[in-house]
């Protein structure tokens, strides 16, 4: 059983040399084209990898900055809470002092009213 290779058969058997050489030349050309495409794809992949590594590095730096900013904000919030708590305590103290002062003033006003009434009674006598 003979295989059909696409080559013309020469007079003395075998294939015609020109056909084989052209076939080999075409294969070599196709191989060179594939090598160029492969090289281009590899260069593109290396470039994309470099870009990805650069992006990853920038994102890590940004993430570090955001982490620091978040920590700073947490600290500021804790300080704010502490200041707020202290202010509340101060306000409660001032409110208590005002309440006591109001009660004292009301007592003094009552005493003055009573003293006035006593003076008015003595003046009528």
């Amino acid at each position: 059983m003979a295989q059909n290779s696409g080559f013309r058969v020469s007079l003395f058997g075998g294939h015609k040399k020109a056909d084989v050489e052209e076939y080999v030349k075409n294969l070599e050309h196709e191989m060179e084209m594939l090598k160029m495409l492969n090289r281009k794809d590899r260069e593109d992949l290396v470039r994309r990898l470099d870009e990805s590594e650069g992006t990853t590095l920038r994102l890590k730096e940004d993430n570090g900055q955001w982490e620091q900013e978040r920590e700073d904000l947490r600290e500021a919030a804790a300080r704010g809470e502490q200041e707020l708590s202290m202010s509340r305590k101060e306000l409660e103290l001032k409110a208590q002092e005002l309440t006591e002062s109001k009660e004292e003033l009301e007592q003094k006003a009552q005493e003055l009213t009573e003293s006035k009434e006593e003076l008015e009674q003595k003046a009528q006598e």
Side-chain angles (χ1 to χ4, degrees):
M1 226 177 172
Q3 289 182 333
N4 186 3
S5 62
F7 300 121
R8 293 178 290 175
V9 179
S10 67
L11 184 61
F12 297 105
H15 300 286
K16 288 201 170 203
K17 184 177 179 180
D19 289 348
V20 172
E21 287 174 348
E22 184 177 342
Y23 179 74
V24 168
K25 185 178 173 182
N26 286 338
L27 284 178
E28 287 173 344
H29 178 70
E30 185 177 336
M31 189 171 68
E32 285 301 314
M33 293 295 289
L34 290 173
K35 282 181 181 179
M36 282 189 338
L37 288 173
N38 185 15
R39 189 174 322 128
K40 183 182 180 302
D41 287 346
R42 188 174 49 240
E43 288 170 356
D44 285 345
L45 286 173
V46 168
R47 180 188 49 79
R48 288 175 54 198
L49 179 62
D50 289 343
E51 289 173 358
S52 295
E53 288 173 348
T55 300
T56 300
L57 201 66
R58 281 191 305 277
L59 289 174
K60 283 181 179 180
E61 289 171 357
D62 288 348
N63 189 42
Q65 291 172 351
W66 292 333
E67 289 291 331
Q68 183 60 47
E69 186 175 334
R70 184 175 68 175
E71 186 60 32
D72 293 345
L73 289 172
R74 282 184 178 160
E75 290 173 5
R79 284 191 307 270
E81 286 291 326
Q82 188 177 16
E83 290 173 6
L84 181 61
S85 177
M86 290 173 57
S87 295
R88 282 185 182 145
K89 288 178 184 177
E90 289 175 12
L91 283 174
E92 288 171 0
L93 275 172
K94 295 295 181 187
Q96 181 65 30
E97 289 174 9
L98 285 173
T99 302
E100 291 171 0
S101 295
K102 180 182 175 187
E103 289 172 358
E104 189 178 321
L105 283 173
E106 287 173 352
Q107 185 181 3
K108 295 291 181 185
Q110 181 65 32
E111 288 174 8
L112 282 173
T113 303
E114 289 172 3
S115 295
K116 179 182 175 187
E117 289 174 358
E118 284 178 21
L119 284 174
E120 287 176 356
Q121 274 181 351
K122 285 185 183 178
Q124 285 179 358
E125 293 178 359

